[in-house]
mmCIF file of all heavy atoms in Angstrom:
data_model
loop_
_atom_site.group_PDB
_atom_site.id
_atom_site.type_symbol
_atom_site.label_atom_id
_atom_site.label_comp_id
_atom_site.label_asym_id
_atom_site.label_seq_id
_atom_site.Cartn_x
_atom_site.Cartn_y
_atom_site.Cartn_z
ATOM 1 N N ASN A 442 196.057 28.030 -15.011
ATOM 2 C CA ASN A 442 197.426 28.023 -15.500
ATOM 3 C C ASN A 442 198.339 27.375 -14.455
ATOM 4 O O ASN A 442 199.016 28.058 -13.686
ATOM 5 C CB ASN A 442 197.869 29.455 -15.807
ATOM 6 C CG ASN A 442 199.148 29.516 -16.606
ATOM 7 O OD1 ASN A 442 199.962 28.603 -16.573
ATOM 8 N ND2 ASN A 442 199.339 30.602 -17.330
ATOM 9 N N LEU A 443 198.338 26.039 -14.439
ATOM 10 C CA LEU A 443 199.136 25.276 -13.478
ATOM 11 C C LEU A 443 199.831 24.118 -14.173
ATOM 12 O O LEU A 443 199.300 23.534 -15.114
ATOM 13 C CB LEU A 443 198.240 24.706 -12.366
ATOM 14 C CG LEU A 443 197.863 25.623 -11.207
ATOM 15 C CD1 LEU A 443 196.842 24.922 -10.320
ATOM 16 C CD2 LEU A 443 199.077 26.012 -10.383
ATOM 17 N N LYS A 444 201.010 23.776 -13.668
ATOM 18 C CA LYS A 444 201.712 22.607 -14.212
ATOM 19 C C LYS A 444 201.008 21.311 -13.841
ATOM 20 O O LYS A 444 200.973 20.363 -14.627
ATOM 21 C CB LYS A 444 203.150 22.567 -13.669
ATOM 22 C CG LYS A 444 204.068 23.647 -14.203
ATOM 23 C CD LYS A 444 205.448 23.522 -13.563
ATOM 24 C CE LYS A 444 206.376 24.638 -14.032
ATOM 25 N NZ LYS A 444 207.675 24.596 -13.331
ATOM 26 N N GLN A 445 200.472 21.257 -12.640
ATOM 27 C CA GLN A 445 199.945 20.003 -12.115
ATOM 28 C C GLN A 445 198.506 20.186 -11.637
ATOM 29 O O GLN A 445 198.234 20.272 -10.440
ATOM 30 C CB GLN A 445 200.845 19.484 -10.978
ATOM 31 C CG GLN A 445 202.262 19.200 -11.446
ATOM 32 C CD GLN A 445 203.207 18.768 -10.347
ATOM 33 O OE1 GLN A 445 204.328 18.350 -10.610
ATOM 34 N NE2 GLN A 445 202.794 18.862 -9.097
ATOM 35 N N GLY A 446 197.596 20.232 -12.588
ATOM 36 C CA GLY A 446 196.190 20.340 -12.238
ATOM 37 C C GLY A 446 195.655 19.015 -11.728
ATOM 38 O O GLY A 446 196.121 17.944 -12.120
ATOM 39 N N GLY A 447 194.685 19.080 -10.837
ATOM 40 C CA GLY A 447 194.101 17.849 -10.325
ATOM 41 C C GLY A 447 193.410 18.068 -9.001
ATOM 42 O O GLY A 447 193.165 19.198 -8.584
ATOM 43 N N LEU A 448 193.097 16.973 -8.330
ATOM 44 C CA LEU A 448 192.375 17.029 -7.064
ATOM 45 C C LEU A 448 193.322 16.782 -5.894
ATOM 46 O O LEU A 448 194.114 15.839 -5.919
ATOM 47 C CB LEU A 448 191.252 15.994 -7.047
ATOM 48 C CG LEU A 448 190.395 16.036 -5.784
ATOM 49 C CD1 LEU A 448 188.912 15.980 -6.127
ATOM 50 C CD2 LEU A 448 190.757 14.891 -4.838
ATOM 51 N N VAL A 449 193.204 17.640 -4.877
ATOM 52 C CA VAL A 449 194.050 17.528 -3.682
ATOM 53 C C VAL A 449 193.153 17.597 -2.454
ATOM 54 O O VAL A 449 192.595 18.646 -2.140
ATOM 55 C CB VAL A 449 195.093 18.671 -3.627
ATOM 56 C CG1 VAL A 449 195.936 18.546 -2.364
ATOM 57 C CG2 VAL A 449 195.980 18.663 -4.866
ATOM 58 N N GLU A 450 192.990 16.470 -1.766
ATOM 59 C CA GLU A 450 192.196 16.479 -0.533
ATOM 60 C C GLU A 450 193.110 16.739 0.649
ATOM 61 O O GLU A 450 194.069 15.992 0.887
ATOM 62 C CB GLU A 450 191.457 15.150 -0.344
ATOM 63 C CG GLU A 450 190.550 15.182 0.880
ATOM 64 C CD GLU A 450 189.747 13.894 1.088
ATOM 65 O OE1 GLU A 450 189.981 12.922 0.354
ATOM 66 O OE2 GLU A 450 188.904 13.873 2.006
ATOM 67 N N LEU A 451 192.796 17.809 1.370
ATOM 68 C CA LEU A 451 193.603 18.211 2.520
ATOM 69 C C LEU A 451 192.700 18.550 3.699
ATOM 70 O O LEU A 451 191.561 18.987 3.524
ATOM 71 C CB LEU A 451 194.442 19.450 2.190
ATOM 72 C CG LEU A 451 195.524 19.324 1.115
ATOM 73 C CD1 LEU A 451 196.120 20.693 0.831
ATOM 74 C CD2 LEU A 451 196.615 18.346 1.548
ATOM 75 N N ALA A 452 193.232 18.377 4.903
ATOM 76 C CA ALA A 452 192.546 18.880 6.085
ATOM 77 C C ALA A 452 192.554 20.401 6.036
ATOM 78 O O ALA A 452 193.501 21.022 5.557
ATOM 79 C CB ALA A 452 193.247 18.389 7.348
ATOM 80 N N PHE A 453 191.493 21.014 6.502
ATOM 81 C CA PHE A 453 191.453 22.467 6.589
ATOM 82 C C PHE A 453 192.634 22.968 7.418
ATOM 83 O O PHE A 453 193.068 22.313 8.373
ATOM 84 C CB PHE A 453 190.154 22.932 7.252
ATOM 85 C CG PHE A 453 188.930 22.730 6.414
ATOM 86 C CD1 PHE A 453 188.072 21.670 6.654
ATOM 87 C CD2 PHE A 453 188.633 23.603 5.388
ATOM 88 C CE1 PHE A 453 186.943 21.489 5.893
ATOM 89 C CE2 PHE A 453 187.502 23.428 4.605
ATOM 90 C CZ PHE A 453 186.646 22.359 4.857
ATOM 91 N N GLY A 454 193.157 24.149 7.058
ATOM 92 C CA GLY A 454 194.232 24.745 7.833
ATOM 93 C C GLY A 454 195.563 24.813 7.120
ATOM 94 O O GLY A 454 196.524 25.394 7.649
ATOM 95 N N GLN A 455 195.652 24.240 5.911
ATOM 96 C CA GLN A 455 196.875 24.373 5.117
ATOM 97 C C GLN A 455 196.933 25.782 4.511
ATOM 98 O O GLN A 455 195.956 26.534 4.539
ATOM 99 C CB GLN A 455 196.896 23.333 3.997
ATOM 100 C CG GLN A 455 196.575 21.927 4.441
ATOM 101 C CD GLN A 455 197.652 21.302 5.282
ATOM 102 O OE1 GLN A 455 198.825 21.568 5.074
ATOM 103 N NE2 GLN A 455 197.271 20.469 6.238
ATOM 104 N N ARG A 456 198.057 26.131 3.919
ATOM 105 C CA ARG A 456 198.185 27.451 3.288
ATOM 106 C C ARG A 456 197.855 27.372 1.803
ATOM 107 O O ARG A 456 198.191 26.388 1.122
ATOM 108 C CB ARG A 456 199.611 27.982 3.449
ATOM 109 C CG ARG A 456 200.043 28.285 4.867
ATOM 110 C CD ARG A 456 201.377 29.019 4.878
ATOM 111 N NE ARG A 456 202.378 28.370 4.025
ATOM 112 C CZ ARG A 456 203.482 28.952 3.576
ATOM 113 N NH1 ARG A 456 203.742 30.211 3.909
ATOM 114 N NH2 ARG A 456 204.342 28.304 2.826
ATOM 115 N N LEU A 457 197.227 28.417 1.306
ATOM 116 C CA LEU A 457 196.933 28.500 -0.122
ATOM 117 C C LEU A 457 198.220 28.431 -0.937
ATOM 118 O O LEU A 457 198.270 27.795 -1.997
ATOM 119 C CB LEU A 457 196.169 29.792 -0.428
ATOM 120 C CG LEU A 457 195.859 30.070 -1.905
ATOM 121 C CD1 LEU A 457 195.001 28.973 -2.507
ATOM 122 C CD2 LEU A 457 195.180 31.432 -2.062
ATOM 123 N N ARG A 458 199.276 29.055 -0.443
ATOM 124 C CA ARG A 458 200.558 29.066 -1.157
ATOM 125 C C ARG A 458 201.076 27.641 -1.400
ATOM 126 O O ARG A 458 201.569 27.324 -2.487
ATOM 127 C CB ARG A 458 201.588 29.876 -0.363
ATOM 128 C CG ARG A 458 202.925 30.041 -1.074
ATOM 129 C CD ARG A 458 203.900 30.842 -0.237
ATOM 130 N NE ARG A 458 203.372 32.150 0.124
ATOM 131 C CZ ARG A 458 203.394 33.214 -0.669
ATOM 132 N NH1 ARG A 458 203.909 33.115 -1.886
ATOM 133 N NH2 ARG A 458 202.892 34.359 -0.256
ATOM 134 N N ASP A 459 200.945 26.791 -0.393
ATOM 135 C CA ASP A 459 201.412 25.409 -0.536
ATOM 136 C C ASP A 459 200.602 24.672 -1.588
ATOM 137 O O ASP A 459 201.142 23.857 -2.347
ATOM 138 C CB ASP A 459 201.325 24.677 0.801
ATOM 139 C CG ASP A 459 202.245 25.282 1.851
ATOM 140 O OD1 ASP A 459 203.229 25.932 1.456
ATOM 141 O OD2 ASP A 459 201.979 25.116 3.055
ATOM 142 N N LEU A 460 199.330 24.960 -1.644
ATOM 143 C CA LEU A 460 198.465 24.307 -2.624
ATOM 144 C C LEU A 460 198.887 24.691 -4.047
ATOM 145 O O LEU A 460 198.978 23.841 -4.936
ATOM 146 C CB LEU A 460 197.020 24.733 -2.369
ATOM 147 C CG LEU A 460 195.901 23.922 -3.018
ATOM 148 C CD1 LEU A 460 195.943 22.474 -2.562
ATOM 149 C CD2 LEU A 460 194.549 24.537 -2.683
ATOM 150 N N ILE A 461 199.188 25.969 -4.244
ATOM 151 C CA ILE A 461 199.540 26.470 -5.577
ATOM 152 C C ILE A 461 200.905 25.963 -6.030
ATOM 153 O O ILE A 461 201.067 25.517 -7.179
ATOM 154 C CB ILE A 461 199.539 28.010 -5.590
ATOM 155 C CG1 ILE A 461 198.145 28.545 -5.288
ATOM 156 C CG2 ILE A 461 200.034 28.547 -6.934
ATOM 157 C CD1 ILE A 461 198.125 30.041 -4.992
ATOM 158 N N TYR A 462 201.878 26.005 -5.126
ATOM 159 C CA TYR A 462 203.254 25.722 -5.535
ATOM 160 C C TYR A 462 203.699 24.284 -5.253
ATOM 161 O O TYR A 462 204.326 23.650 -6.111
ATOM 162 C CB TYR A 462 204.208 26.714 -4.878
ATOM 163 C CG TYR A 462 204.006 28.115 -5.387
ATOM 164 C CD1 TYR A 462 203.333 29.063 -4.615
ATOM 165 C CD2 TYR A 462 204.455 28.496 -6.651
ATOM 166 C CE1 TYR A 462 203.119 30.356 -5.090
ATOM 167 C CE2 TYR A 462 204.248 29.784 -7.130
ATOM 168 C CZ TYR A 462 203.579 30.708 -6.354
ATOM 169 O OH TYR A 462 203.359 31.981 -6.826
ATOM 170 N N GLU A 463 203.404 23.747 -4.065
ATOM 171 C CA GLU A 463 203.873 22.398 -3.746
ATOM 172 C C GLU A 463 203.066 21.333 -4.474
ATOM 173 O O GLU A 463 203.609 20.315 -4.913
ATOM 174 C CB GLU A 463 203.826 22.169 -2.234
ATOM 175 C CG GLU A 463 204.845 23.017 -1.476
ATOM 176 C CD GLU A 463 204.928 22.646 -0.007
ATOM 177 O OE1 GLU A 463 204.437 21.555 0.371
ATOM 178 O OE2 GLU A 463 205.483 23.454 0.767
ATOM 179 N N PHE A 464 201.770 21.555 -4.596
ATOM 180 C CA PHE A 464 200.943 20.597 -5.323
ATOM 181 C C PHE A 464 200.781 21.013 -6.783
ATOM 182 O O PHE A 464 200.984 20.198 -7.686
ATOM 183 C CB PHE A 464 199.567 20.455 -4.656
ATOM 184 C CG PHE A 464 199.599 19.699 -3.373
ATOM 185 C CD1 PHE A 464 199.666 20.373 -2.158
ATOM 186 C CD2 PHE A 464 199.581 18.318 -3.360
ATOM 187 C CE1 PHE A 464 199.695 19.676 -0.958
ATOM 188 C CE2 PHE A 464 199.620 17.604 -2.169
ATOM 189 C CZ PHE A 464 199.681 18.289 -0.960
ATOM 190 N N GLY A 465 200.421 22.262 -7.017
ATOM 191 C CA GLY A 465 200.195 22.717 -8.387
ATOM 192 C C GLY A 465 201.464 22.905 -9.202
ATOM 193 O O GLY A 465 201.427 22.895 -10.431
ATOM 194 N N GLY A 466 202.598 23.100 -8.531
ATOM 195 C CA GLY A 466 203.871 23.233 -9.228
ATOM 196 C C GLY A 466 204.097 24.574 -9.901
ATOM 197 O O GLY A 466 204.989 24.715 -10.738
ATOM 198 N N GLY A 467 203.284 25.591 -9.534
ATOM 199 C CA GLY A 467 203.421 26.887 -10.195
ATOM 200 C C GLY A 467 202.739 26.879 -11.553
ATOM 201 O O GLY A 467 202.059 25.927 -11.930
ATOM 202 N N THR A 468 202.932 27.952 -12.302
ATOM 203 C CA THR A 468 202.214 28.091 -13.569
ATOM 204 C C THR A 468 202.801 27.201 -14.663
ATOM 205 O O THR A 468 203.996 26.950 -14.720
ATOM 206 C CB THR A 468 202.235 29.542 -14.064
ATOM 207 O OG1 THR A 468 203.591 29.928 -14.332
ATOM 208 C CG2 THR A 468 201.621 30.482 -13.046
ATOM 209 N N ARG A 469 201.927 26.764 -15.542
ATOM 210 C CA ARG A 469 202.357 25.970 -16.691
ATOM 211 C C ARG A 469 203.161 26.827 -17.664
ATOM 212 O O ARG A 469 204.086 26.356 -18.328
ATOM 213 C CB ARG A 469 201.120 25.400 -17.400
ATOM 214 C CG ARG A 469 201.446 24.449 -18.547
ATOM 215 C CD ARG A 469 200.161 23.871 -19.147
ATOM 216 N NE ARG A 469 200.432 22.972 -20.239
ATOM 217 C CZ ARG A 469 200.702 21.684 -20.120
ATOM 218 N NH1 ARG A 469 200.731 21.146 -18.910
ATOM 219 N NH2 ARG A 469 200.939 20.921 -21.173
ATOM 220 N N SER A 470 202.829 28.121 -17.709
ATOM 221 C CA SER A 470 203.528 29.037 -18.615
ATOM 222 C C SER A 470 204.919 29.390 -18.129
ATOM 223 O O SER A 470 205.742 29.897 -18.896
ATOM 224 C CB SER A 470 202.711 30.322 -18.779
ATOM 225 O OG SER A 470 202.615 31.007 -17.536
ATOM 226 N N GLY A 471 205.188 29.155 -16.834
ATOM 227 C CA GLY A 471 206.473 29.521 -16.254
ATOM 228 C C GLY A 471 206.530 30.965 -15.789
ATOM 229 O O GLY A 471 207.530 31.402 -15.222
ATOM 230 N N ARG A 472 205.471 31.704 -16.004
ATOM 231 C CA ARG A 472 205.412 33.098 -15.554
ATOM 232 C C ARG A 472 204.948 33.163 -14.100
ATOM 233 O O ARG A 472 204.353 32.212 -13.586
ATOM 234 C CB ARG A 472 204.434 33.897 -16.434
ATOM 235 C CG ARG A 472 204.822 33.960 -17.910
ATOM 236 C CD ARG A 472 203.707 34.650 -18.705
ATOM 237 N NE ARG A 472 203.990 34.695 -20.122
ATOM 238 C CZ ARG A 472 204.656 35.666 -20.739
ATOM 239 N NH1 ARG A 472 205.122 36.681 -20.030
ATOM 240 N NH2 ARG A 472 204.860 35.626 -22.037
ATOM 241 N N PRO A 473 205.193 34.282 -13.423
ATOM 242 C CA PRO A 473 204.745 34.414 -12.031
ATOM 243 C C PRO A 473 203.219 34.357 -11.921
ATOM 244 O O PRO A 473 202.494 34.796 -12.823
ATOM 245 C CB PRO A 473 205.266 35.800 -11.622
ATOM 246 C CG PRO A 473 206.369 36.094 -12.573
ATOM 247 C CD PRO A 473 205.995 35.444 -13.865
ATOM 248 N N VAL A 474 202.740 33.815 -10.811
ATOM 249 C CA VAL A 474 201.307 33.828 -10.522
ATOM 250 C C VAL A 474 200.903 35.250 -10.155
ATOM 251 O O VAL A 474 201.539 35.889 -9.319
ATOM 252 C CB VAL A 474 200.964 32.875 -9.362
ATOM 253 C CG1 VAL A 474 199.476 32.969 -9.018
ATOM 254 C CG2 VAL A 474 201.332 31.448 -9.704
ATOM 255 N N ARG A 475 199.858 35.741 -10.790
ATOM 256 C CA ARG A 475 199.399 37.094 -10.481
ATOM 257 C C ARG A 475 198.126 37.093 -9.645
ATOM 258 O O ARG A 475 197.940 37.949 -8.775
ATOM 259 C CB ARG A 475 199.130 37.880 -11.760
ATOM 260 C CG ARG A 475 198.776 39.339 -11.445
ATOM 261 C CD ARG A 475 198.737 40.220 -12.656
ATOM 262 N NE ARG A 475 198.561 41.608 -12.247
ATOM 263 C CZ ARG A 475 197.731 42.458 -12.822
ATOM 264 N NH1 ARG A 475 197.000 42.074 -13.862
ATOM 265 N NH2 ARG A 475 197.630 43.687 -12.384
ATOM 266 N N ALA A 476 197.227 36.158 -9.911
ATOM 267 C CA ALA A 476 195.948 36.124 -9.195
ATOM 268 C C ALA A 476 195.445 34.698 -9.115
ATOM 269 O O ALA A 476 195.752 33.860 -9.957
ATOM 270 C CB ALA A 476 194.924 37.006 -9.900
ATOM 271 N N VAL A 477 194.659 34.444 -8.068
ATOM 272 C CA VAL A 477 194.019 33.148 -7.886
ATOM 273 C C VAL A 477 192.571 33.397 -7.494
ATOM 274 O O VAL A 477 192.294 34.218 -6.612
ATOM 275 C CB VAL A 477 194.721 32.314 -6.792
ATOM 276 C CG1 VAL A 477 193.944 31.025 -6.521
ATOM 277 C CG2 VAL A 477 196.145 31.979 -7.204
ATOM 278 N N GLN A 478 191.666 32.709 -8.151
ATOM 279 C CA GLN A 478 190.256 32.784 -7.775
ATOM 280 C C GLN A 478 189.867 31.477 -7.100
ATOM 281 O O GLN A 478 189.989 30.405 -7.682
ATOM 282 C CB GLN A 478 189.363 33.024 -8.995
ATOM 283 C CG GLN A 478 187.896 33.282 -8.626
ATOM 284 C CD GLN A 478 187.033 33.622 -9.830
ATOM 285 O OE1 GLN A 478 187.242 33.106 -10.927
ATOM 286 N NE2 GLN A 478 186.063 34.506 -9.644
#
Side-chain angles (χ1 to χ4, degrees):
N442 193 335
L443 278 173
K444 290 178 183 175
Q445 299 176 171
L448 183 134
V449 179
E450 184 178 7
L451 295 173
F453 290 102
Q455 312 290 326
R456 294 190 311 162
L457 176 60
R458 185 180 303 278
D459 296 337
L460 195 60
I461 297 168
Y462 293 104
E463 292 188 16
F464 287 96
T468 63
R469 185 177 180 86
S470 64
R472 299 174 182 271
V474 176
R475 185 170 187 224
V477 174
Q478 187 176 35

